[in-house]
Amino acid sequence: MKFYYVYILKCSDKSYYSGFTNNLELRFNQHQAGINPESYTHSRRPVELVYCIKFDNPNDGIAFEKKIKGWSRKKKEALINGDWDRLKFLAICKNDSHYSNNMSKERDFDSA
């Protein structure tokens, strides 16, 4: 059975890089060697593998990689540290425009 991996690297500048591969060891070594001068990690070596998850289905892995690429640094660190409570807290939308944040405003308006 073939496996697919979503991984997070911590770069020398303390930034994070998320990627997807079917050969984690090879891909990590490519990042470390700086094979592609245009890649994000090239000028940020050395890199450290700080998170990895395995998938049977490549589409699931690709979807997860796309999701975490959009996450904040704090969410990525919660994932890396396995801090599921913090990750859940950070996933709550805090925008004023979010419906759950307007519910109390509507109640205040109804009671006025």
Side-chain angles (χ1 to χ4, degrees):
M1 174 175 266
K2 191 167 193 155
F3 294 108
Y4 304 88
Y5 304 87
V6 173
Y7 61 93
I8 300 176
L9 302 176
K10 187 172 187 178
C11 300
S12 63
D13 66 356
K14 308 295 186 224
S15 65
Y16 292 111
Y17 174 84
S18 305
F20 172 81
T21 186
N22 65 357
N23 187 331
L24 186 59
E25 185 176 355
L26 174 65
R27 189 68 185 113
F28 175 77
N29 289 334
Q30 289 171 339
H31 282 291
Q32 204 68 290
I35 292 189
N36 181 0
E38 280 91 47
S39 74
Y40 180 84
T41 58
H42 185 270
S43 62
R44 293 169 172 87
R45 294 174 291 147
V47 296
E48 174 188 0
L49 181 65
V50 293
Y51 178 81
C52 175
I53 187 168
K54 182 168 50 171
F55 292 88
D56 296 333
N57 182 325
N59 294 324
D60 293 341
I62 291 167
F64 186 65
E65 181 213 12
K66 285 182 180 181
K67 183 184 293 190
I68 64 173
K69 277 189 181 283
W71 284 4
S72 68
R73 179 179 184 85
K74 288 181 180 181
K75 272 180 87 170
K76 288 177 185 174
E77 287 176 342
L79 177 68
I80 291 164
N81 295 324
D83 190 343
W84 310 121
D85 291 335
R86 180 146 177 81
L87 186 59
K88 187 176 178 180
F89 171 78
L90 292 169
I92 298 169
C93 182
K94 295 166 188 68
N95 293 340
D96 285 339
S97 60
H98 192 270
Y99 82 94
S100 66
N101 297 328
N102 286 315
M103 296 303 288
S104 61
K105 291 176 188 174
E106 289 178 19
R107 279 187 235 118
D108 292 343
F109 180 75
D110 289 342
S111 64

